[in-house]
Amino acid sequence: MKIEGKEYRTIWFDEKNQTVKIIDQTKLPHHFIIKDIKTAKEAINAIKTMEVRGAPLIGATAAYGLVLSIIEKNDLSYLKKSSEDLIASRPTAINLKWAVDRMMKRLSGLNSDEILKVALEEAKDIVEEDVGFCKNIGLNGLKIIEEIFVKKKDTVNILTHCNAGWLATIDWGTATSPIYHAHKAGIKVHVWVDETRPRNQGANLTSYELNEEGIPNTIIADNTGGILMQRGKVDMCIVGTDRTLSNGDVCNKIGTYLKALAAKDNNVPFYVALPSSTIDWQIKDHKKIPIEERDSEELSHVEGLDKDNKLQKVLIYPQKSKAMNLAFDVTPAKYVTSLITEKGICEASEQGLKKLFKENLL
Ligand code: MRU
């Protein structure tokens, strides 16, 4: 997708320097900085500090992190340690483990002469596959937006939470891909962008990337969606997910659940867009999903541009107050209208997923 009219992806391998290039998302929207990741440790740090974020993108970063680990030291025990540290770097989004497991399976049994070449091929395959998946999610989700547009004959208002845009993937995004496809098809869309406290991925990233693609959008405080739905200002919600269980329960950015409850109360359809790499086929009970608890400083401090155009972080809470910062919640399947996947649209249930992905069900 585009930034200032130029096409970018969120991550790519620099063949000449044998490094991985990323867009440092901690500096967006104020500064667009491309950063070199040179070692597995730097890849782990980029994931932890959220220079890269979003379930599919952290999976791709982990895959390239293993490539970098082999470039640094072509040694199996070092590769194994890198794989464990990568998986541990962010626990909730399943794509991270999915990508590392896929890479390690592909690399097992290879000798040191061929391992780097194969690792790089596999990491690139993961990236290309995600681009294809996100594109298909968009084409499938486009049908839903088209249907609303045909009935309404006016702008389709879509609410989204967090950033499940192209910045969270490699290209297109998950939740945003149907929106980008609708826009390209000439359908009038407007996006209500939840700010998404505490890290403001909605305001800082979703609104930013929609602006760059020329898609009308309005940032709202996280608690505003309810009244907008009561007053008929939201035609549909689309969110992404960090881990969806085979029973259709959806783990996503904190606050998604409350938005789904409001949608249900107001008969607003609530869609979840996801590639199959985000499905956890093992865990059956959402209480077993590891929910990341992040530093409370993300709540107590905010960062923005000061009057000299410098990024500054300031404390906004009482000095003595404690804060607790859970990063994700779970929306039970019964509140999800449908899942939009690369293979089609299905009910958020085991039967629904089975129809599309029967080979994965245990
Ligand atoms: O903590 P983040 O910014 O990595 O959380 C991202 C989200 O919750 C996204 O909605 C989710 O990963 C889907 S991304 C296509």
Side-chain angles (χ1 to χ4, degrees):
M1 308 298 290
K2 290 198 243 10
I3 305 280
E4 290 185 5
K6 187 171 172 215
E7 288 282 342
Y8 284 95
R9 283 185 172 184
T10 51
I11 192 164
W12 63 97
F13 189 71
D14 179 339
E15 308 280 347
K16 188 167 153 248
N17 298 310
Q18 301 277 287
T19 61
V20 174
K21 303 266 194 210
I22 59 158
I23 298 167
D24 180 354
Q25 300 194 18
T26 61
K27 301 292 183 296
L28 291 174
H30 304 298
H31 302 297
F32 180 77
I33 294 171
I34 292 172
K35 190 171 170 175
D36 268 309
I37 302 290
K38 301 184 199 75
T39 64
K41 276 212 175 74
E42 286 180 16
I44 291 163
N45 192 51
I47 295 170
K48 276 191 177 153
T49 59
M50 292 173 68
E51 287 172 349
V52 286
R53 38 144 308 279
L57 178 56
I58 59 178
T61 308
Y64 277 131
L66 292 175
V67 172
L68 294 173
S69 165
I70 298 167
I71 293 173
E72 280 170 72
K73 204 198 261 192
N74 195 336
D75 170 84
L76 271 189
S77 59
Y78 186 62
L79 183 65
K80 191 159 177 292
K81 173 84 174 78
S82 300
S83 74
E84 288 160 3
D85 292 348
L86 280 161
I87 289 177
S89 61
R90 285 196 77 187
T92 304
I94 189 79
N95 303 59
L96 187 50
K97 184 173 176 330
W98 169 86
V100 170
D101 287 350
R102 172 167 159 175
M103 290 287 291
M104 292 306 276
K105 194 169 162 205
R106 181 72 187 86
L107 302 181
S108 98
L110 295 184
N111 64 44
S112 55
D113 296 338
E114 55 188 347
I115 196 164
L116 175 59
K117 183 175 166 284
V118 176
L120 191 51
E121 275 167 14
E122 191 67 9
K124 286 181 179 171
D125 279 356
I126 287 174
V127 162
E128 292 308 323
E129 189 180 280
D130 191 68
V131 174
F133 282 176
C134 287
K135 187 171 180 197
N136 284 340
I137 288 169
L139 293 169
N140 292 329
L142 166 64
K143 294 173 207 147
I144 298 170
I145 301 177
E146 234 163 15
E147 227 169 80
I148 297 175
F149 185 65
V150 167
K151 261 194 216 143
K152 192 180 171 190
K153 296 185 183 60
D154 202 352
T155 304
V156 181
N157 287 301
I158 303 169
L159 184 144
T160 192
H161 190 69
C162 194
N163 172 257
W166 74 270
L167 289 167
T169 64
I170 314 299
D171 209 351
W172 293 107
T174 56
T176 55
S177 187
I179 299 171
Y180 288 133
H181 279 87
H183 181 70
K184 281 183 199 298
I187 295 173
K188 278 201 250 164
V189 285
H190 164 261
V191 185
W192 295 112
V193 178
D194 277 357
E195 180 189 33
T196 321
R197 281 279 290 150
R199 288 190 68 114
N200 298 337
Q201 290 96 327
N204 292 346
L205 304 174
T206 306
S207 181
Y208 169 77
E209 61 163 87
L210 292 172
N211 292 343
E212 295 297 310
E213 288 289 330
I215 298 193
N217 69 92
T218 309
I219 299 168
I220 49 173
D222 291 330
N223 297 326
T224 307
I227 188 156
L228 292 178
M229 291 189 216
Q230 284 173 330
R231 301 210 168 170
K233 305 279 187 211
V234 182
D235 296 304
M236 65 188 289
C237 303
I238 320 183
V239 298
T241 167
D242 292 84
R243 187 187 296 236
T244 288
L245 301 190
S246 58
N247 66 7
D249 287 351
V250 170
C251 181
N252 191 46
K253 180 56 55 198
I254 195 82
T256 303
Y257 171 45
L258 295 180
K259 219 39 61 77
L261 288 178
K264 184 80 178 177
D265 192 44
N266 291 286
N267 290 320
V268 172
F270 190 90
Y271 296 98
V272 178
L274 70 154
S276 51
S277 51
T278 308
I279 304 172
D280 182 337
W281 299 102
Q282 315 274 337
I283 291 183
K284 302 288 175 204
D285 173 4
H286 75 74
K287 294 206 178 81
K288 300 220 165 79
I289 299 175
I291 301 287
E292 187 176 322
E293 185 172 347
R294 300 186 60 85
D295 198 319
S296 62
E297 199 185 290
E298 291 182 350
L299 279 165
S300 59
H301 290 65
V302 289
E303 192 174 57
L305 282 188
D306 69 9
K307 59 178 179 10
D308 300 319
N309 259 357
K310 282 213 177 88
L311 279 181
Q312 294 285 357
K313 202 180 246 190
V314 295
L315 171 71
I316 55 165
Y317 282 3
Q319 296 241 5
K320 289 183 188 164
S321 293
K322 277 201 284 183
M324 199 265 269
N325 184 14
L326 288 184
F328 302 96
D329 62 23
V330 179
T331 300
K334 63 182 175 184
Y335 298 120
V336 177
T337 307
S338 299
L339 302 173
I340 307 171
T341 78
E342 76 271 13
K343 285 204 183 168
I345 299 166
C346 72
E347 189 184 86
S349 68
E350 187 147 343
Q351 293 92 302
L353 282 167
K354 204 187 260 177
K355 280 189 201 142
L356 298 181
F357 302 101
K358 54 177 169 306
E359 70 282 4
N360 295 85
L361 274 175
L362 308 171

